[in-house]
Amino acid sequence: RGSVYYTRTTPGFEINDVGFVGRDDIQSFSNWWQRRWETPTTWYRRVFVNFNQWTSGTTAGLLTDMGGNINAHAEFSNRWWIHTGFNYNNWVPTYCDRNCTRGGPALKQSRGAYNGWLGAETDFRKPIPFFATIEHGRSDEGNSHFWWMGPGMSFRIASRFQGEVNGALYLNEDDNQYYETFDGGTPEDRSYTIARLEQREARLTARLDFTATPTLSVQFYGQPFVTTGEYSNLREVVDPRAARYADRYAPYTLDRNRDGTAEVPGGFDYKQFRSNTVLRWEYRPGST
């Protein structure tokens, strides 16, 4: 199986009053091809292997992304699943024209950003199946990297009560995080700065569904969430299209501490608990 896509959104296109547009001034070309094995054997029931390739850029021709992906999914004879995949971005140098400097110059992205993942699921016919995924990636010539881990489980205690609980832990070292634009009075004097961000994030998500009667049910959603981050190594974008990663930046000096070191604003510590409960009663057929 396969498909080929081409999309183009012209500069200034705006439909947010009636829909949603992530960004304008973009064109992209992508391919998806899949090989499937659906005749069961002694060790698997079905296997899918996907091949993807994509290229995107502005309508003026500035290349913003070029990459590819291969991923595979197999259901074994015991009804367990395994999933794995690998992305390789920036086959050639590309340019980040929006998010990296937030209105500043397009910033060159080094070749060879990649990430891979591996996941598994137990038999979902069982009352308590489990699932887990782990992912790792590197970019910015090895200066940025991350780990993501997501275990979870679902359960069906009875025909009328079921739920799911899953967690996530995210460890991120981003050497190319936008920090702030310092205005020197004129557009030419603006300083677009980036910093190294060491971020930690954890969350636990729970969903519970209870059906009391055919016309009365309760659904609950809850998620505690915490993220912390520390900024360091503040730099100014001085040569956004330099071939070498280090040559694109220069140290940026803020106010000085008493010991003469540059002051870099610390970071953030954000905690939140979100929840939602819905009681649904169909008091007459078709009316809820």
Side-chain angles (χ1 to χ4, degrees), residues 4-155:
V4 177
Y5 292 92
Y6 174 75
T7 64
R8 179 183 175 95
T9 306
T10 56
F13 182 66
E14 166 65 74
I15 61 165
N16 283 326
D17 288 339
V18 294
F20 175 78
V21 177
R23 65 162 289 173
D24 61 359
D25 188 20
I26 190 74
Q27 58 182 338
S28 61
F29 175 77
S30 60
N31 299 274
W32 167 73
W33 303 101
Q34 182 186 76
R35 179 70 170 92
R36 302 166 66 94
W37 292 264
E38 295 191 299
T39 301
T41 69
T42 56
W43 69 276
Y44 71 80
R45 291 173 51 82
R46 49 186 169 165
V47 177
F48 311 140
V49 180
N50 299 291
F51 304 89
N52 304 277
Q53 189 279 325
W54 57 85
T55 302
S56 64
T58 66
T59 56
L62 182 69
L63 192 63
T64 58
D65 195 10
M66 178 181 287
N69 161 271
I70 180 172
N71 60 85
H73 313 267
E75 182 185 17
F76 299 104
S77 55
N78 62 357
R79 299 297 182 97
W80 286 39
W81 280 88
I82 189 168
H83 312 277
T84 186
F86 183 79
N87 284 342
Y88 192 86
N89 292 310
N90 301 341
W91 293 358
V92 298
T94 59
Y95 298 89
C96 177
D97 65 331
R98 300 250 174 138
N99 294 329
C100 292
T101 58
R102 312 288 173 89
L107 185 62
K108 189 172 186 176
Q109 303 296 286
S110 299
R111 297 175 56 186
Y114 69 84
N115 65 290
W117 70 92
L118 177 66
E121 305 171 15
T122 63
D123 187 352
F124 266 73
R125 300 173 303 170
K126 303 296 184 180
I128 305 180
F130 297 89
F131 50 90
T133 302
I134 185 168
E135 182 177 0
H136 173 63
R138 299 183 73 87
S139 59
D140 298 324
E141 299 180 9
N143 291 286
S144 300
H145 53 88
F146 74 89
W147 284 94
W148 184 89
M149 292 157 277
M153 59 175 287
S154 60
F155 52 87

Side-chain angles (χ1 to χ4, degrees), residues 4 12 15 42 46 66 73 86 107 118 150 156 165 169 171 174 178 211 218 220 233 254 256 275:
V4 177
I15 61 165
T42 56
R46 49 186 169 165
M66 178 181 287
H73 313 267
F86 183 79
L107 185 62
L118 177 66
R156 292 181 296 275
V165 178
L169 178 63
L171 309 176
D174 188 350
Y178 171 80
T211 302
V218 181
F220 169 79
N233 194 19
L254 294 174
R256 295 280 174 174
S275 66

